[in-house]
Amino acid sequence: MSGVRLKDTVTGIESTLSAGGAFIAIGHKPNTDYLKGVIELDAKGYVIIKSQQLTEKLKSDKSQDAEVNPMLKPQTETSVPGVFAAGDCVDPRYRQAIVAAGMGCMAAMDAEKWLAEHA
Ligand SMILES: Cc1cc2nc3c(=O)[nH]c(=O)nc-3n(C[C@H](O)[C@H](O)[C@H](O)COP(=O)(O)OP(=O)(O)OC[C@H]3O[C@@H](n4cnc5c(N)ncnc54)[C@H](O)[C@@H]3O)c2cc1C
């Protein structure tokens, strides 16, 4: 590699920047376009799960603390009953493998409980 060819997307002017290496940054956009209109997503495309909604409710409604304690509810439930989500597609903050794996376990347990209750 000797450099990169650049094109200004506003003016259309092309130039060359000398460089001995390049770092390609990936993993910053959740691959959830196919879920649009099916499951509730936030403005950046992350799947919204109940724990986030419950935490927001808890902040805005102090009188309901006991009733809406997020830890008492299924944490990984999406806007569609019986559909649970975990990992990077719901997590704009940590985006780490161990967090995704732990959440995967939570989603599996939430799904198992949901199936038992709706069988
Ligand atoms: C460059 C980079 C470096 C990283 N370094 C670290 C690190 O050092 N330590 C660390 O802990 N984490 C690191 N991470 C983050 C880690 O990779 C993620 O947190 C983790 O992989 C998330 O797991 P996941 O199962 O949620 O998602 P993913 O691993 O992205 O798995 C999603 C899976 O779903 C599949 N899929 C997507 N769409 C569909 C579809 N429509 N139908 C069926 N399957 C589909 C994909 O092919 C993929 O296999 C790094 C990430 C990147 C991008």
Side-chain angles (χ1 to χ4, degrees), residues 23-28 31-32 34-35 86-91 94-101 103-104:
F23 179 80
I24 314 286
I26 62 166
H28 294 278
N31 188 7
T32 55
Y34 73 104
L35 295 173
D88 281 19
C89 69
V90 307
D91 176 13
Y94 302 105
R95 291 186 300 206
Q96 293 294 292
I98 194 167
V99 178
M103 285 188 80

Side-chain angles (χ1 to χ4, degrees), residues 2-3 11 16 20 43 57 69 78 85 100 105 112 114:
S2 58
T11 64
T16 303
K57 191 166 189 290
N69 180 346
T78 67
C105 174
E112 184 190 28
W114 189 90

